[in-house]
Amino acid sequence: MQLQDILYSQGFGTRRVCAGLVQQGFVTVGGEACDDSAAEFDPEGLQFTVQGKPWPYHDKAYILLHKPAGTECSQKPSTWPSIYTLLPAPLRQRPQKGPVQGVQAVGRLDQDTTGLLLLTDDGKFIHRMSSPRHHVPKVYEVTTKHPLDDTQVQRLLSGVVLDDDPKPVKAAACEAVDIHHLRLTLTEGKYHQVKRMLAAVGNRVEGLHRSRIGGLQLPEKLAPGQWCWLGPDDLTLLLG
Ligand code: URA
């Protein structure tokens, strides 16, 4: 694959811009400067730098973001900064493969919710992770306003009715870790589901953090606002 096309596929701008970056000497490949935009490389596993910044080639991008509080998962946020501002430009500019450009969040978290958020440009992966048929478990650490009791935990496990659907929704698992800390596992993702489920049992969410999706835990070393690439082992943990 030509170097200009490799850069283009990774979101470094139009083909013309990418050719210009190479010809102006802004690109190194495997540690060596390369100013021939038509030079051929096998992109798989390629490490290059653009203006001194290292970039590993990825055919598809799978990203884990530690979403901080006070951010919106929308590209066009109404009040709070968008999570997309936390990502480098190439991830937002990767050429269009599906209906939209760049990586997209796999589902959404509320403005005040923190924790594990996935982003990708792989439409099939978004569909697979979001489809209720696949029942991918998501684990939430919930801080409650009122003390938790056994009745609330049992009701969340046996099913509560939310205002928009007569069919009860159940937690796949639910454990009171302490008097104000609930660990709740859901396999579906209705709008404000955790908050509405807690309200349905007479409690209230004061803090909400997603700690795990499938078998993938939010890495402890990843601070709020930081992101990392996911590799094949992580995808296996996610998809089972
Ligand atoms: N449930 C909610 O209520 N909010 C979230 O952000 C995620 C799940």
Side-chain angles (χ1 to χ4, degrees):
M1 193 170 174
Q2 291 191 346
L3 188 52
Q4 61 191 11
D5 294 333
I6 293 177
L7 259 57
Y8 169 73
S9 74
Q10 301 300 288
F12 284 89
T14 61
R15 284 199 169 77
R16 204 189 165 100
V17 165
C18 290
L21 284 169
V22 179
Q23 287 153 12
Q24 287 166 68
F26 289 133
V27 178
T28 69
V29 182
E32 304 270 320
C34 177
D35 62 6
D36 176 4
S37 58
E40 292 276 346
F41 292 94
D42 177 1
E44 229 25 79
L46 196 73
Q47 303 276 339
F48 57 91
T49 69
V50 178
Q51 293 175 310
K53 294 209 181 76
W55 198 264
Y57 174 88
H58 287 89
D59 176 33
K60 295 201 173 80
Y62 302 96
I63 302 296
L64 184 161
L65 172 71
H66 185 163
K67 180 190 175 295
T71 52
E72 288 185 33
C73 287
S74 167
Q75 302 262 14
K76 295 194 179 110
S78 56
T79 312
W80 303 85
S82 163
I83 50 147
Y84 293 94
T85 62
L86 298 166
L87 302 176
L91 285 179
R92 288 182 269 124
Q93 290 169 12
R94 285 170 75 92
Q96 195 149 353
K97 287 192 188 137
V100 274
Q101 193 176 18
V103 294
Q104 302 299 309
V106 181
R108 290 186 176 194
L109 292 174
D110 295 338
Q111 166 278 120
D112 50 354
T113 302
T114 59
L116 201 172
L117 184 71
L118 302 172
L119 298 109
T120 183
D121 59 351
D122 179 350
K124 281 197 187 129
F125 178 83
I126 296 183
H127 184 257
R128 165 98 209 252
M129 293 300 295
S130 317
S131 155
R133 275 196 307 127
H134 287 106
H135 298 292
V136 181
K138 299 183 181 87
V139 181
Y140 294 92
E141 310 295 332
V142 189
T143 307
T144 60
K145 181 175 168 80
H146 307 295
L148 289 157
D149 61 39
D150 216 39
T151 315
Q152 292 172 37
V153 172
Q154 288 316 317
R155 282 189 63 201
L156 291 166
L157 285 168
S158 56
V160 293
V161 174
L162 305 180
D163 41 14
D164 59 350
D165 192 351
K167 199 168 153 253
V169 286
K170 292 180 190 184
C174 183
E175 172 200 358
V177 180
D178 68 36
I179 192 87
H180 287 280
H181 177 184
L182 189 73
R183 182 164 297 136
L184 190 69
T185 305
L186 300 181
T187 54
E188 51 198 335
K190 289 175 182 286
Y191 182 65
H192 290 331
Q193 185 164 342
V194 175
K195 290 175 182 165
R196 292 195 296 150
M197 286 177 80
L198 267 290
V201 299
N203 210 320
R204 191 187 153 98
V205 173
E206 293 263 290
L208 187 54
H209 176 81
R210 186 156 68 191
S211 56
R212 190 156 65 83
I213 299 181
L216 185 72
Q217 194 83 26
L218 179 69
E220 264 179 39
K221 59 178 188 333
L222 202 68
Q226 290 186 331
W227 65 275
C228 62
W229 293 96
L230 294 177
D233 292 349
D234 301 310
L235 298 188
T236 306
L237 285 173
L238 280 170
L239 298 169

Short mmCIF file of all heavy atoms in Angstrom, two decimals, residues 148-213:
data_model
loop_
_atom_site.label_atom_id
_atom_site.label_comp_id
_atom_site.label_asym_id
_atom_site.label_seq_id
_atom_site.Cartn_x
_atom_site.Cartn_y
_atom_site.Cartn_z
N LEU A 148 -29.22 1.19 50.82
CA LEU A 148 -29.76 0.04 50.07
C LEU A 148 -30.29 -1.00 51.05
O LEU A 148 -29.78 -1.13 52.15
CB LEU A 148 -28.63 -0.58 49.25
CG LEU A 148 -28.18 0.27 48.07
CD1 LEU A 148 -26.76 -0.08 47.66
CD2 LEU A 148 -29.14 0.08 46.89
N ASP A 149 -31.31 -1.71 50.63
CA ASP A 149 -31.75 -2.84 51.45
C ASP A 149 -32.05 -4.04 50.55
O ASP A 149 -32.06 -3.92 49.32
CB ASP A 149 -32.95 -2.46 52.34
CG ASP A 149 -34.14 -2.03 51.52
OD1 ASP A 149 -34.38 -2.66 50.47
OD2 ASP A 149 -34.85 -1.07 51.91
N ASP A 150 -32.30 -5.15 51.19
CA ASP A 150 -32.47 -6.40 50.45
C ASP A 150 -33.67 -6.37 49.52
O ASP A 150 -33.64 -6.96 48.43
CB ASP A 150 -32.61 -7.53 51.48
CG ASP A 150 -31.93 -8.75 50.95
OD1 ASP A 150 -30.86 -8.61 50.34
OD2 ASP A 150 -32.53 -9.85 51.10
N THR A 151 -34.73 -5.66 49.94
CA THR A 151 -35.93 -5.60 49.10
C THR A 151 -35.60 -4.93 47.77
O THR A 151 -36.03 -5.38 46.70
CB THR A 151 -37.03 -4.78 49.83
OG1 THR A 151 -37.07 -5.20 51.17
CG2 THR A 151 -38.37 -4.92 49.18
N GLN A 152 -34.83 -3.84 47.83
CA GLN A 152 -34.47 -3.14 46.58
C GLN A 152 -33.65 -4.07 45.68
O GLN A 152 -33.92 -4.17 44.47
CB GLN A 152 -33.65 -1.89 46.90
CG GLN A 152 -34.42 -0.79 47.60
CD GLN A 152 -33.51 0.34 48.05
OE1 GLN A 152 -32.55 0.70 47.39
NE2 GLN A 152 -33.82 0.91 49.21
N VAL A 153 -32.68 -4.75 46.26
CA VAL A 153 -31.83 -5.65 45.47
C VAL A 153 -32.69 -6.75 44.84
O VAL A 153 -32.57 -7.02 43.63
CB VAL A 153 -30.71 -6.25 46.36
CG1 VAL A 153 -29.93 -7.33 45.61
CG2 VAL A 153 -29.77 -5.15 46.84
N GLN A 154 -33.59 -7.33 45.62
CA GLN A 154 -34.44 -8.42 45.09
C GLN A 154 -35.36 -7.91 43.98
O GLN A 154 -35.58 -8.59 42.98
CB GLN A 154 -35.28 -9.06 46.22
CG GLN A 154 -34.46 -9.92 47.18
CD GLN A 154 -33.47 -10.83 46.46
OE1 GLN A 154 -33.79 -11.46 45.45
NE2 GLN A 154 -32.23 -10.87 46.95
N ARG A 155 -35.88 -6.70 44.14
CA ARG A 155 -36.77 -6.14 43.10
C ARG A 155 -36.01 -5.88 41.81
O ARG A 155 -36.52 -6.10 40.71
CB ARG A 155 -37.43 -4.85 43.61
CG ARG A 155 -38.60 -5.13 44.56
CD ARG A 155 -39.36 -3.87 44.85
NE ARG A 155 -39.98 -3.28 43.66
CZ ARG A 155 -40.34 -2.03 43.54
NH1 ARG A 155 -40.15 -1.19 44.55
NH2 ARG A 155 -40.89 -1.59 42.43
N LEU A 156 -34.77 -5.39 41.93
CA LEU A 156 -33.96 -5.14 40.72
C LEU A 156 -33.65 -6.45 40.00
O LEU A 156 -33.61 -6.50 38.77
CB LEU A 156 -32.65 -4.42 41.10
CG LEU A 156 -32.84 -2.97 41.56
CD1 LEU A 156 -31.59 -2.45 42.24
CD2 LEU A 156 -33.23 -2.07 40.39
N LEU A 157 -33.49 -7.52 40.77
CA LEU A 157 -33.21 -8.83 40.17
C LEU A 157 -34.45 -9.47 39.56
O LEU A 157 -34.38 -10.13 38.53
CB LEU A 157 -32.61 -9.78 41.22
CG LEU A 157 -31.16 -9.52 41.60
CD1 LEU A 157 -30.77 -10.31 42.84
CD2 LEU A 157 -30.23 -9.89 40.44
N SER A 158 -35.61 -9.24 40.22
CA SER A 158 -36.81 -9.93 39.71
C SER A 158 -37.49 -9.11 38.60
O SER A 158 -38.25 -9.65 37.81
CB SER A 158 -37.78 -10.25 40.84
OG SER A 158 -38.10 -9.07 41.52
N GLY A 159 -37.18 -7.79 38.49
CA GLY A 159 -37.70 -6.99 37.39
C GLY A 159 -38.55 -5.82 37.86
O GLY A 159 -39.38 -5.98 38.75
N VAL A 160 -38.30 -4.66 37.25
CA VAL A 160 -39.10 -3.47 37.56
C VAL A 160 -39.66 -2.92 36.25
O VAL A 160 -39.06 -3.07 35.19
CB VAL A 160 -38.27 -2.37 38.28
CG1 VAL A 160 -37.83 -2.82 39.66
CG2 VAL A 160 -37.06 -1.94 37.46
N VAL A 161 -40.82 -2.27 36.35
CA VAL A 161 -41.45 -1.71 35.14
C VAL A 161 -41.03 -0.25 35.02
O VAL A 161 -41.12 0.52 35.98
CB VAL A 161 -42.99 -1.85 35.23
CG1 VAL A 161 -43.66 -1.14 34.06
CG2 VAL A 161 -43.39 -3.32 35.24
N LEU A 162 -40.54 0.13 33.84
CA LEU A 162 -40.18 1.53 33.59
C LEU A 162 -41.33 2.19 32.84
O LEU A 162 -42.20 1.51 32.27
CB LEU A 162 -38.88 1.61 32.78
CG LEU A 162 -37.68 0.87 33.41
CD1 LEU A 162 -36.45 1.00 32.54
CD2 LEU A 162 -37.39 1.42 34.81
N ASP A 163 -41.32 3.54 32.79
CA ASP A 163 -42.50 4.25 32.29
C ASP A 163 -42.80 4.03 30.80
O ASP A 163 -43.93 4.17 30.39
CB ASP A 163 -42.39 5.75 32.61
CG ASP A 163 -41.00 6.30 32.40
OD1 ASP A 163 -40.19 5.58 31.74
OD2 ASP A 163 -40.70 7.40 32.86
N ASP A 164 -41.77 3.64 29.98
CA ASP A 164 -42.03 3.58 28.54
C ASP A 164 -42.31 2.17 28.02
O ASP A 164 -42.40 1.96 26.81
CB ASP A 164 -40.85 4.18 27.78
CG ASP A 164 -39.54 3.45 28.08
OD1 ASP A 164 -39.52 2.62 29.00
OD2 ASP A 164 -38.55 3.72 27.38
N ASP A 165 -42.38 1.17 28.90
CA ASP A 165 -42.54 -0.20 28.43
C ASP A 165 -43.19 -1.05 29.54
O ASP A 165 -42.66 -1.09 30.66
CB ASP A 165 -41.14 -0.75 28.09
CG ASP A 165 -41.21 -2.06 27.33
OD1 ASP A 165 -42.32 -2.64 27.22
OD2 ASP A 165 -40.15 -2.51 26.86
N PRO A 166 -44.29 -1.73 29.24
CA PRO A 166 -44.92 -2.54 30.30
C PRO A 166 -44.10 -3.79 30.66
O PRO A 166 -44.31 -4.37 31.73
CB PRO A 166 -46.27 -2.94 29.68
CG PRO A 166 -46.12 -2.72 28.22
CD PRO A 166 -45.03 -1.74 27.99
N LYS A 167 -43.15 -4.17 29.78
CA LYS A 167 -42.36 -5.37 30.06
C LYS A 167 -41.29 -5.04 31.12
O LYS A 167 -40.50 -4.11 30.93
CB LYS A 167 -41.68 -5.82 28.76
CG LYS A 167 -41.22 -7.24 28.79
CD LYS A 167 -40.82 -7.68 27.38
CE LYS A 167 -39.79 -8.78 27.47
NZ LYS A 167 -38.46 -8.41 27.12
N PRO A 168 -41.26 -5.80 32.22
CA PRO A 168 -40.28 -5.46 33.27
C PRO A 168 -38.83 -5.66 32.79
O PRO A 168 -38.57 -6.51 31.95
CB PRO A 168 -40.59 -6.46 34.39
CG PRO A 168 -41.82 -7.16 34.02
CD PRO A 168 -42.07 -6.97 32.56
N VAL A 169 -37.93 -4.83 33.31
CA VAL A 169 -36.49 -5.00 33.03
C VAL A 169 -35.82 -5.52 34.30
O VAL A 169 -36.12 -5.06 35.41
CB VAL A 169 -35.82 -3.69 32.56
CG1 VAL A 169 -36.21 -3.36 31.14
CG2 VAL A 169 -36.11 -2.54 33.48
N LYS A 170 -34.90 -6.46 34.09
CA LYS A 170 -34.24 -7.12 35.23
C LYS A 170 -32.75 -6.85 35.17
O LYS A 170 -32.17 -6.77 34.08
CB LYS A 170 -34.35 -8.64 35.10
CG LYS A 170 -35.69 -9.22 35.25
CD LYS A 170 -35.55 -10.73 35.07
CE LYS A 170 -36.94 -11.33 34.98
NZ LYS A 170 -36.93 -12.75 34.89
N ALA A 171 -32.13 -6.80 36.35
CA ALA A 171 -30.66 -6.80 36.39
C ALA A 171 -30.21 -8.24 36.20
O ALA A 171 -30.83 -9.17 36.73
CB ALA A 171 -30.19 -6.27 37.73
N ALA A 172 -29.12 -8.43 35.44
CA ALA A 172 -28.56 -9.78 35.28
C ALA A 172 -27.86 -10.20 36.57
O ALA A 172 -27.79 -11.38 36.89
CB ALA A 172 -27.60 -9.82 34.11
N ALA A 173 -27.32 -9.21 37.28
CA ALA A 173 -26.72 -9.45 38.60
C ALA A 173 -26.82 -8.15 39.38
O ALA A 173 -26.88 -7.07 38.79
CB ALA A 173 -25.26 -9.87 38.46
N CYS A 174 -26.87 -8.28 40.70
CA CYS A 174 -27.04 -7.08 41.53
C CYS A 174 -26.55 -7.41 42.93
O CYS A 174 -26.99 -8.39 43.53
CB CYS A 174 -28.54 -6.74 41.55
SG CYS A 174 -28.93 -5.27 42.44
N GLU A 175 -25.62 -6.57 43.41
CA GLU A 175 -25.00 -6.87 44.70
C GLU A 175 -24.79 -5.55 45.44
O GLU A 175 -24.25 -4.60 44.86
CB GLU A 175 -23.65 -7.55 44.40
CG GLU A 175 -22.76 -7.77 45.56
CD GLU A 175 -21.29 -7.97 45.11
OE1 GLU A 175 -21.02 -7.97 43.88
OE2 GLU A 175 -20.44 -8.08 45.98
N ALA A 176 -25.26 -5.51 46.69
CA ALA A 176 -24.98 -4.32 47.50
C ALA A 176 -23.58 -4.49 48.08
O ALA A 176 -23.36 -5.31 48.96
CB ALA A 176 -26.03 -4.18 48.61
N VAL A 177 -22.63 -3.71 47.56
CA VAL A 177 -21.23 -3.83 48.01
C VAL A 177 -21.09 -3.20 49.38
O VAL A 177 -20.40 -3.71 50.25
CB VAL A 177 -20.29 -3.13 46.99
CG1 VAL A 177 -18.83 -3.23 47.41
CG2 VAL A 177 -20.47 -3.71 45.60
N ASP A 178 -21.77 -2.08 49.59
CA ASP A 178 -21.97 -1.54 50.95
C ASP A 178 -23.28 -0.77 50.94
O ASP A 178 -24.02 -0.81 49.95
CB ASP A 178 -20.75 -0.76 51.47
CG ASP A 178 -20.51 0.54 50.72
OD1 ASP A 178 -21.51 1.20 50.33
OD2 ASP A 178 -19.34 0.92 50.53
N ILE A 179 -23.55 -0.06 51.99
CA ILE A 179 -24.91 0.49 52.20
C ILE A 179 -25.33 1.49 51.11
O ILE A 179 -26.51 1.63 50.80
CB ILE A 179 -25.02 1.06 53.63
CG1 ILE A 179 -26.44 1.38 54.03
CG2 ILE A 179 -24.11 2.20 53.89
CD1 ILE A 179 -27.15 0.20 54.62
N HIS A 180 -24.34 2.17 50.49
CA HIS A 180 -24.66 3.12 49.40
C HIS A 180 -23.99 2.76 48.08
O HIS A 180 -23.87 3.60 47.20
CB HIS A 180 -24.22 4.54 49.79
CG HIS A 180 -25.10 5.16 50.83
ND1 HIS A 180 -26.31 5.73 50.55
CD2 HIS A 180 -24.94 5.28 52.16
CE1 HIS A 180 -26.86 6.19 51.65
NE2 HIS A 180 -26.05 5.93 52.65
N HIS A 181 -23.48 1.54 47.97
CA HIS A 181 -22.76 1.14 46.73
C HIS A 181 -23.36 -0.15 46.18
O HIS A 181 -23.26 -1.20 46.81
CB HIS A 181 -21.27 0.98 47.05
CG HIS A 181 -20.45 0.50 45.88
ND1 HIS A 181 -19.11 0.22 45.97
CD2 HIS A 181 -20.77 0.25 44.58
CE1 HIS A 181 -18.65 -0.19 44.80
NE2 HIS A 181 -19.64 -0.19 43.94
N LEU A 182 -23.96 -0.01 45.00
CA LEU A 182 -24.57 -1.16 44.34
C LEU A 182 -23.76 -1.51 43.10
O LEU A 182 -23.36 -0.61 42.35
CB LEU A 182 -25.99 -0.76 43.91
CG LEU A 182 -26.90 -1.85 43.39
CD1 LEU A 182 -27.37 -2.73 44.55
CD2 LEU A 182 -28.12 -1.22 42.70
N ARG A 183 -23.52 -2.81 42.90
CA ARG A 183 -22.89 -3.25 41.64
C ARG A 183 -23.97 -3.94 40.82
O ARG A 183 -24.54 -4.95 41.23
CB ARG A 183 -21.73 -4.21 41.93
CG ARG A 183 -21.01 -4.66 40.68
CD ARG A 183 -19.65 -5.26 40.98
NE ARG A 183 -18.77 -4.29 41.59
CZ ARG A 183 -17.99 -4.54 42.65
NH1 ARG A 183 -17.96 -5.73 43.18
NH2 ARG A 183 -17.23 -3.58 43.16
N LEU A 184 -24.26 -3.32 39.67
CA LEU A 184 -25.43 -3.75 38.88
C LEU A 184 -24.96 -4.18 37.49
O LEU A 184 -24.22 -3.44 36.84
CB LEU A 184 -26.35 -2.53 38.76
CG LEU A 184 -27.74 -2.69 38.20
CD1 LEU A 184 -28.61 -3.48 39.17
CD2 LEU A 184 -28.36 -1.30 38.01
N THR A 185 -25.39 -5.35 37.06
CA THR A 185 -25.04 -5.82 35.71
C THR A 185 -26.28 -5.84 34.84
O THR A 185 -27.29 -6.46 35.21
CB THR A 185 -24.43 -7.24 35.78
OG1 THR A 185 -23.34 -7.23 36.69
CG2 THR A 185 -23.95 -7.70 34.41
N LEU A 186 -26.20 -5.15 33.70
CA LEU A 186 -27.34 -5.11 32.77
C LEU A 186 -26.91 -5.69 31.43
O LEU A 186 -25.76 -5.55 31.03
CB LEU A 186 -27.79 -3.66 32.54
CG LEU A 186 -28.24 -2.86 33.75
CD1 LEU A 186 -28.66 -1.46 33.32
CD2 LEU A 186 -29.39 -3.56 34.47
N THR A 187 -27.86 -6.31 30.73
CA THR A 187 -27.53 -6.84 29.40
C THR A 187 -28.29 -6.10 28.31
O THR A 187 -28.30 -6.50 27.16
CB THR A 187 -27.87 -8.35 29.32
OG1 THR A 187 -29.22 -8.51 29.71
CG2 THR A 187 -26.95 -9.17 30.19
N GLU A 188 -28.95 -5.03 28.66
CA GLU A 188 -29.62 -4.19 27.65
C GLU A 188 -29.25 -2.73 27.97
O GLU A 188 -28.65 -2.47 29.01
CB GLU A 188 -31.13 -4.41 27.66
CG GLU A 188 -31.70 -4.28 29.03
CD GLU A 188 -33.08 -4.90 29.19
OE1 GLU A 188 -33.80 -5.03 28.20
OE2 GLU A 188 -33.42 -5.21 30.32
N GLY A 189 -29.60 -1.82 27.10
CA GLY A 189 -29.16 -0.44 27.31
C GLY A 189 -30.25 0.55 26.99
O GLY A 189 -30.15 1.31 26.03
N LYS A 190 -31.31 0.55 27.81
CA LYS A 190 -32.37 1.53 27.58
C LYS A 190 -31.92 2.89 28.10
O LYS A 190 -31.06 2.98 28.97
CB LYS A 190 -33.64 1.11 28.34
CG LYS A 190 -34.33 -0.10 27.76
CD LYS A 190 -35.48 -0.48 28.68
CE LYS A 190 -36.18 -1.71 28.21
NZ LYS A 190 -37.04 -1.49 27.04
N TYR A 191 -32.59 3.93 27.60
CA TYR A 191 -32.28 5.31 27.97
C TYR A 191 -32.33 5.49 29.49
O TYR A 191 -33.33 5.13 30.13
CB TYR A 191 -33.29 6.21 27.26
CG TYR A 191 -33.10 7.69 27.48
CD1 TYR A 191 -31.97 8.34 27.00
CD2 TYR A 191 -34.08 8.43 28.14
CE1 TYR A 191 -31.80 9.69 27.19
CE2 TYR A 191 -33.93 9.78 28.33
CZ TYR A 191 -32.79 10.41 27.86
OH TYR A 191 -32.63 11.75 28.05
N HIS A 192 -31.26 6.02 30.09
CA HIS A 192 -31.18 6.26 31.55
C HIS A 192 -31.58 5.02 32.36
O HIS A 192 -32.22 5.15 33.41
CB HIS A 192 -32.12 7.41 31.96
CG HIS A 192 -31.69 8.77 31.50
ND1 HIS A 192 -30.38 9.12 31.29
CD2 HIS A 192 -32.42 9.88 31.23
CE1 HIS A 192 -30.32 10.39 30.89
NE2 HIS A 192 -31.54 10.87 30.83
N GLN A 193 -31.21 3.85 31.86
CA GLN A 193 -31.77 2.63 32.47
C GLN A 193 -31.43 2.47 33.96
O GLN A 193 -32.30 2.15 34.76
CB GLN A 193 -31.31 1.38 31.71
CG GLN A 193 -31.99 0.14 32.25
CD GLN A 193 -31.88 -1.05 31.34
OE1 GLN A 193 -31.59 -0.88 30.15
NE2 GLN A 193 -32.09 -2.23 31.86
N VAL A 194 -30.18 2.69 34.32
CA VAL A 194 -29.80 2.47 35.73
C VAL A 194 -30.56 3.48 36.61
O VAL A 194 -31.15 3.11 37.63
CB VAL A 194 -28.27 2.62 35.92
CG1 VAL A 194 -27.91 2.51 37.39
CG2 VAL A 194 -27.52 1.58 35.10
N LYS A 195 -30.56 4.73 36.18
CA LYS A 195 -31.22 5.77 36.99
C LYS A 195 -32.71 5.46 37.15
O LYS A 195 -33.28 5.61 38.23
CB LYS A 195 -31.01 7.15 36.37
CG LYS A 195 -29.56 7.62 36.48
CD LYS A 195 -29.32 8.91 35.75
CE LYS A 195 -27.84 9.29 35.85
NZ LYS A 195 -27.43 10.31 34.92
N ARG A 196 -33.33 5.02 36.05
CA ARG A 196 -34.78 4.75 36.12
C ARG A 196 -35.08 3.50 36.93
O ARG A 196 -36.07 3.44 37.64
CB ARG A 196 -35.35 4.66 34.71
CG ARG A 196 -35.31 6.02 34.00
CD ARG A 196 -36.17 6.07 32.77
NE ARG A 196 -35.71 5.17 31.76
CZ ARG A 196 -36.50 4.57 30.87
NH1 ARG A 196 -37.79 4.77 30.89
NH2 ARG A 196 -35.99 3.78 29.96
N MET A 197 -34.18 2.50 36.86
CA MET A 197 -34.41 1.29 37.66
C MET A 197 -34.29 1.59 39.15
O MET A 197 -35.08 1.12 39.96
CB MET A 197 -33.42 0.18 37.27
CG MET A 197 -33.74 -0.46 35.93
SD MET A 197 -32.52 -1.70 35.45
CE MET A 197 -33.05 -3.10 36.44
N LEU A 198 -33.29 2.41 39.50
CA LEU A 198 -33.12 2.75 40.92
C LEU A 198 -34.30 3.59 41.41
O LEU A 198 -34.79 3.40 42.52
CB LEU A 198 -31.79 3.49 41.11
CG LEU A 198 -30.57 2.63 41.50
CD1 LEU A 198 -30.69 2.10 42.93
CD2 LEU A 198 -30.35 1.46 40.56
N ALA A 199 -34.78 4.50 40.54
CA ALA A 199 -35.94 5.31 40.92
C ALA A 199 -37.16 4.41 41.13
O ALA A 199 -37.96 4.63 42.05
CB ALA A 199 -36.22 6.37 39.85
N ALA A 200 -37.28 3.37 40.30
CA ALA A 200 -38.44 2.48 40.39
C ALA A 200 -38.48 1.71 41.71
O ALA A 200 -39.54 1.26 42.14
CB ALA A 200 -38.44 1.50 39.21
N VAL A 201 -37.31 1.55 42.36
CA VAL A 201 -37.31 0.85 43.67
C VAL A 201 -37.19 1.86 44.82
O VAL A 201 -36.88 1.49 45.95
CB VAL A 201 -36.20 -0.24 43.76
CG1 VAL A 201 -36.40 -1.30 42.69
CG2 VAL A 201 -34.79 0.36 43.67
N GLY A 202 -37.44 3.14 44.52
CA GLY A 202 -37.53 4.16 45.58
C GLY A 202 -36.18 4.70 46.01
O GLY A 202 -36.07 5.31 47.09
N ASN A 203 -35.15 4.49 45.21
CA ASN A 203 -33.84 5.05 45.56
C ASN A 203 -33.45 6.09 44.50
O ASN A 203 -34.29 6.44 43.64
CB ASN A 203 -32.80 3.94 45.68
CG ASN A 203 -31.71 4.29 46.68
OD1 ASN A 203 -31.25 5.43 46.74
ND2 ASN A 203 -31.31 3.31 47.49
N ARG A 204 -32.22 6.56 44.52
CA ARG A 204 -31.80 7.58 43.56
C ARG A 204 -30.30 7.45 43.32
O ARG A 204 -29.54 7.20 44.26
CB ARG A 204 -32.11 8.95 44.18
CG ARG A 204 -31.99 10.10 43.25
CD ARG A 204 -32.16 11.40 44.03
NE ARG A 204 -31.44 12.42 43.32
CZ ARG A 204 -32.01 13.28 42.48
NH1 ARG A 204 -33.31 13.26 42.31
NH2 ARG A 204 -31.28 14.17 41.84
N VAL A 205 -29.91 7.61 42.05
CA VAL A 205 -28.48 7.50 41.71
C VAL A 205 -27.78 8.83 42.00
O VAL A 205 -28.19 9.87 41.50
CB VAL A 205 -28.31 7.12 40.22
CG1 VAL A 205 -26.85 7.18 39.81
CG2 VAL A 205 -28.89 5.74 39.94
N GLU A 206 -26.72 8.75 42.80
CA GLU A 206 -25.91 9.94 43.08
C GLU A 206 -24.61 9.93 42.27
O GLU A 206 -24.03 10.97 42.01
CB GLU A 206 -25.56 9.99 44.56
CG GLU A 206 -26.75 10.20 45.46
CD GLU A 206 -26.91 11.66 45.85
OE1 GLU A 206 -26.08 12.17 46.62
OE2 GLU A 206 -27.88 12.27 45.37
N GLY A 207 -24.17 8.73 41.89
CA GLY A 207 -22.95 8.60 41.09
C GLY A 207 -23.02 7.33 40.29
O GLY A 207 -23.52 6.31 40.79
N LEU A 208 -22.55 7.37 39.03
CA LEU A 208 -22.66 6.20 38.17
C LEU A 208 -21.36 6.05 37.38
O LEU A 208 -20.89 7.01 36.75
CB LEU A 208 -23.85 6.37 37.23
CG LEU A 208 -24.24 5.19 36.35
CD1 LEU A 208 -24.46 3.93 37.16
CD2 LEU A 208 -25.52 5.53 35.57
N HIS A 209 -20.82 4.83 37.45
CA HIS A 209 -19.52 4.55 36.81
C HIS A 209 -19.61 3.18 36.15
O HIS A 209 -20.02 2.22 36.80
CB HIS A 209 -18.44 4.55 37.91
CG HIS A 209 -17.08 4.20 37.43
ND1 HIS A 209 -16.23 5.10 36.81
CD2 HIS A 209 -16.38 3.03 37.48
CE1 HIS A 209 -15.09 4.50 36.51
NE2 HIS A 209 -15.16 3.24 36.90
N ARG A 210 -19.25 3.10 34.85
CA ARG A 210 -19.24 1.78 34.21
C ARG A 210 -17.85 1.18 34.30
O ARG A 210 -16.88 1.79 33.83
CB ARG A 210 -19.68 1.88 32.75
CG ARG A 210 -19.83 0.50 32.12
CD ARG A 210 -20.76 0.50 30.96
NE ARG A 210 -20.22 1.25 29.83
CZ ARG A 210 -20.93 1.58 28.76
NH1 ARG A 210 -22.21 1.27 28.67
NH2 ARG A 210 -20.38 2.25 27.77
N SER A 211 -17.75 0.01 34.94
CA SER A 211 -16.44 -0.57 35.22
C SER A 211 -16.08 -1.71 34.28
O SER A 211 -14.90 -2.05 34.16
CB SER A 211 -16.39 -1.08 36.66
OG SER A 211 -17.44 -2.00 36.88
N ARG A 212 -17.07 -2.31 33.60
CA ARG A 212 -16.75 -3.48 32.77
C ARG A 212 -17.79 -3.64 31.67
O ARG A 212 -18.97 -3.35 31.87
CB ARG A 212 -16.76 -4.72 33.67
CG ARG A 212 -16.22 -5.96 33.01
CD ARG A 212 -15.70 -6.97 34.03
NE ARG A 212 -16.72 -7.51 34.90
CZ ARG A 212 -17.52 -8.53 34.58
NH1 ARG A 212 -17.42 -9.11 33.39
NH2 ARG A 212 -18.40 -8.97 35.43
N ILE A 213 -17.33 -4.12 30.52
CA ILE A 213 -18.23 -4.55 29.43
C ILE A 213 -17.76 -5.94 29.03
O ILE A 213 -16.57 -6.14 28.73
CB ILE A 213 -18.20 -3.61 28.21
CG1 ILE A 213 -18.64 -2.20 28.60
CG2 ILE A 213 -19.08 -4.15 27.08
CD1 ILE A 213 -18.67 -1.19 27.45
#
